[in-house]
Amino acid sequence: MSLLTELDAFFTDHRQCGDLDAGVDGPIVWIACECGASIARRADVDDALARPTADRPTIQAWTAAASC
């Protein structure tokens, strides 16, 4: 899934919860919701490289916290 798709999905899921806060810290793009949920994703990792293959394990490119 692309960075934009993941951030858009988070925004869509949490826009009714309350205030959203977002930012960029170096290569990390993040959004946090007032409800406690958050998502952080490295913007410098190519989506194709983040997908596992037989010879390459999954690269942890994003993390997500609790949801509403």
Side-chain angles (χ1 to χ4, degrees):
M1 193 179 302
S2 75
L3 172 61
L4 182 57
T5 302
E6 289 180 24
L7 295 174
D8 181 59
F10 185 89
F11 173 77
T12 300
D13 289 345
H14 293 278
R15 65 181 171 200
Q16 301 299 323
C17 295
D19 291 335
L20 294 173
D21 191 16
V24 177
D25 295 323
I28 306 296
V29 178
W30 59 271
I31 302 176
C33 180
E34 192 174 72
C35 74
S38 65
I39 184 172
R41 169 87 189 268
R42 290 188 63 94
D44 63 348
V45 174
D46 183 359
D47 290 330
L49 293 177
R51 287 188 218 107
T53 63
D55 62 332
R56 186 181 64 241
T58 302
I59 297 171
Q60 185 63 32
W62 64 274
T63 59
S67 61
C68 295

